[in-house]
Amino acid sequence: MSWDQVWIDVNVATMDTNIQEAYGVIPQAAIAVKDGKIAWVGPRSELPEFDVLATPVYRGKGGWITPGLIDAHTHLVFAGNRANEFEQRLQGATYAEIARAGGGIISTVNACRDADEAELFELGRQRLNALAREGVTTVEIKSGYGLNTETELKLLRVARELGEHHHIDVSTTFLGAHAIPPEYKDNADAYIDLVINDMLPAVIAENLADAVDVFCENIAFNLEQTERVLTAAKQAGLQIKLHAEQLTNMGGSALAAKLGAKSVDHIEFLDEAGVKAISESGTCATLLPGAFYFLRETQLPPIDLLRQYKVPMVIASDFNPGSSPICSTLLMLNMACTLFRLTPEEALQGVTINAAKALGIDNNVGSITVGKQADFCLWDITTPAQLAYAYGVNLCKTVVKNGQVVALPN
Ligand code: NIG
Ligand code: FE
């Protein structure tokens, strides 16, 4: 066989659901890469003969290979920080109170309107580097801190540029309907008109977004406004998803399901009817333990119902300056298990194959499967559960992206 690269002396957690073992494990395995794709994976003993002199062979020293991690929900392009609001919350103010008083998302909007593209790019680059060091190879980035056409486009342009300049692949989401900007304080419907008639066409004209999201909540947009935005996005051929049922049960998830959303995200307050609705539409449930932790939520997402209805569970960082200032996908694995009682296998599915489903890219990434992009990580661990169990010492030794060994940033 003629391959570009072969990996041996490894165990592989393929996360391929066609392999019956937990984690889709192939023990004592080998992987061959050709033209940036997985060309062969299986037991080392069955590896076909290849030209050992002409092919680079990497030895994993008995470590584990997983797919590159995918963080399917972040807001990582933003300026400023909200440490002052953290302090206010420690004094007893709630997240919703701060938002109603003109802080919260709006304070980050002010910082982003003032920041130039170069500054936002550099902040975003450092944050992608932090994720890259822990094995992340694909990241979704939302806009939503502009709330006017100019700044929403600026944030999306920066997100696209980050994807072009970094080895991490970036999937972009237009979240113009994230909060009601001060200019439209008492006229959310008119702001939604702007989102649909001005922002969305401009976003589409520059091909800046892969998906469209809305924050459906009593401190943001109601069901009718949400439906208008998602319907316009769908008609334009974009994927749709929704921030739903984070603080209250508004029925956003059922609406998103009806419209064919890829995911509903947060969903602490989702009820059984909502779970049923998303299971029937094949919509993923994106759980965000960082926001649950940082806002000290007590209402748990309906994990048992999600299992019962076989809804694919996604785990993401929701990295943002207000509700989850935690730039780590790996830490989310631990939190998904400790806070939400997911199994380590479910948590790892949430940042690999299910995260790929939520982004609509599971035909290409998310598992170690022949024909998919060769995005994978070598970990210095003895069992895959270690990825969720421990945190703090980076056990990610090597990252392969598109079939190339990546020099990890310092
Ligand atoms: O996913 N819920 C809405 N949006 C973000 C928070 C944004 C912020 O507070 O800046 C979230 O939690
Ligand atoms: Fe979010």
Side-chain angles (χ1 to χ4, degrees):
M1 302 301 286
S2 155
W3 289 319
D4 298 336
Q5 186 188 108
V6 172
W7 286 76
I8 57 170
D9 198 10
V10 290
N11 304 290
V12 179
T14 65
M15 307 312 287
D16 186 333
T17 43
N18 294 315
I19 297 178
Q20 292 307 310
E21 303 302 311
Y23 301 93
V25 163
I26 306 175
Q28 295 166 45
I31 297 176
V33 173
K34 175 82 178 166
D35 297 331
K37 297 198 181 307
I38 308 283
W40 192 91
V41 58
R44 164 82 169 96
S45 56
E46 294 173 20
L47 180 69
E49 277 187 27
F50 63 99
D51 185 346
V52 282
L53 295 178
T55 313
V57 176
Y58 295 86
R59 287 162 208 277
K61 297 185 187 160
W64 282 78
I65 285 181
T66 69
L69 306 188
I70 300 171
D71 197 327
H73 181 142
T74 85
H75 307 245
L76 75 69
V77 176
F78 63 86
N81 71 77
R82 307 233 295 272
N84 58 337
E85 293 180 6
F86 179 48
E87 289 180 307
Q88 286 166 23
R89 284 200 298 108
L90 290 169
Q91 301 294 329
T94 69
Y95 182 71
E97 283 164 3
I98 292 169
R100 286 200 190 91
I105 291 170
I106 298 303
S107 72
T108 302
V109 167
N110 293 332
C112 288
R113 288 180 179 180
D114 287 347
D116 65 23
E117 277 190 35
E119 180 186 347
L120 289 163
F121 180 88
E122 179 53 22
L123 289 165
R125 193 184 67 84
Q126 288 170 21
R127 293 163 187 160
L128 281 185
N129 282 350
L131 297 178
R133 284 192 286 273
E134 52 181 42
V136 174
T137 50
T138 303
V139 170
E140 184 258 16
I141 302 178
K142 301 174 195 297
S143 66
Y145 291 125
L147 310 187
N148 61 29
T149 307
E150 180 196 345
T151 317
E152 286 295 312
L153 293 178
K154 177 171 74 178
L155 295 171
L156 288 170
R157 282 190 202 112
V158 169
R160 278 274 192 249
E161 276 167 36
L162 285 166
E164 277 155 26
H165 289 89
H166 203 285
H167 74 259
I168 287 183
D169 282 334
V170 172
S171 170
T172 58
T173 299
F174 170 53
L175 178 57
H178 192 197
I180 303 158
E183 303 82 6
Y184 289 84
K185 198 164 177 293
D186 299 310
N187 203 352
D189 284 325
Y191 180 64
I192 291 296
D193 290 341
L194 183 81
V195 168
I196 293 172
N197 299 327
D198 199 58
M199 294 186 191
L200 188 58
V203 166
I204 291 167
E206 276 190 59
N207 188 25
L208 289 176
D210 302 312
V212 173
D213 192 351
V214 175
F215 186 17
C216 180
E217 191 54 70
N218 58 19
I219 55 167
F221 298 98
N222 64 29
L223 278 180
E224 193 203 329
Q225 292 158 346
T226 300
E227 179 158 16
R228 287 182 59 206
V229 177
L230 295 187
T231 302
K234 195 176 156 180
Q235 279 168 358
L238 293 170
Q239 294 181 356
I240 56 173
K241 56 180 81 171
L242 192 64
H243 279 74
E245 272 73 60
Q246 179 186 9
L247 309 170
T248 54
N249 185 4
M250 304 244 307
S253 298
L255 168 69
K258 183 184 87 180
L259 297 173
K262 283 281 170 198
S263 71
V264 289
D265 302 39
H266 285 288
I267 62 166
E268 279 84 345
F269 286 82
L270 188 63
D271 59 13
E272 182 161 3
V275 173
K276 191 162 178 288
I278 62 172
S279 85
E280 284 164 0
S281 59
T283 302
C284 297
T286 300
L287 308 176
L288 305 171
F292 178 90
Y293 156 83
F294 192 69
L295 297 181
R296 303 187 76 231
E297 288 287 352
T298 51
Q299 171 86 22
L300 284 163
I303 305 296
D304 284 340
L305 287 170
L306 294 170
R307 285 185 181 125
Q308 193 186 318
Y309 283 89
K310 298 195 174 6
V311 176
M313 289 187 279
V314 178
I315 301 298
S317 68
D318 193 19
F319 177 50
N320 76 74
S323 67
S324 186
I326 305 170
C327 192
S328 171
T329 312
L330 267 188
L331 181 54
M332 296 306 136
L333 295 184
N334 178 274
M335 286 186 175
C337 299
T338 52
L339 299 175
F340 294 166
R341 313 309 286 167
L342 263 63
T343 66
E345 184 187 8
E346 286 171 329
L348 193 59
Q349 286 167 344
V351 296
T352 54
I353 187 64
N354 291 350
K357 280 185 192 152
L359 298 180
I361 52 177
D362 51 312
N363 59 346
N364 202 30
V365 291
S367 66
I368 298 180
T369 305
V370 170
K372 284 195 183 183
Q373 203 163 289
D375 289 6
F376 56 83
C377 310
L378 174 69
W379 306 88
D380 186 12
I381 55 176
T382 58
T383 166
Q386 249 180 295
L387 295 177
Y389 150 81
Y391 181 76
V393 175
N394 194 357
L395 300 170
C396 178
K397 295 301 155 200
T398 308
V399 171
V400 173
K401 176 71 190 154
N402 284 323
Q404 303 288 325
V405 175
V406 170
L408 288 178
N410 289 316

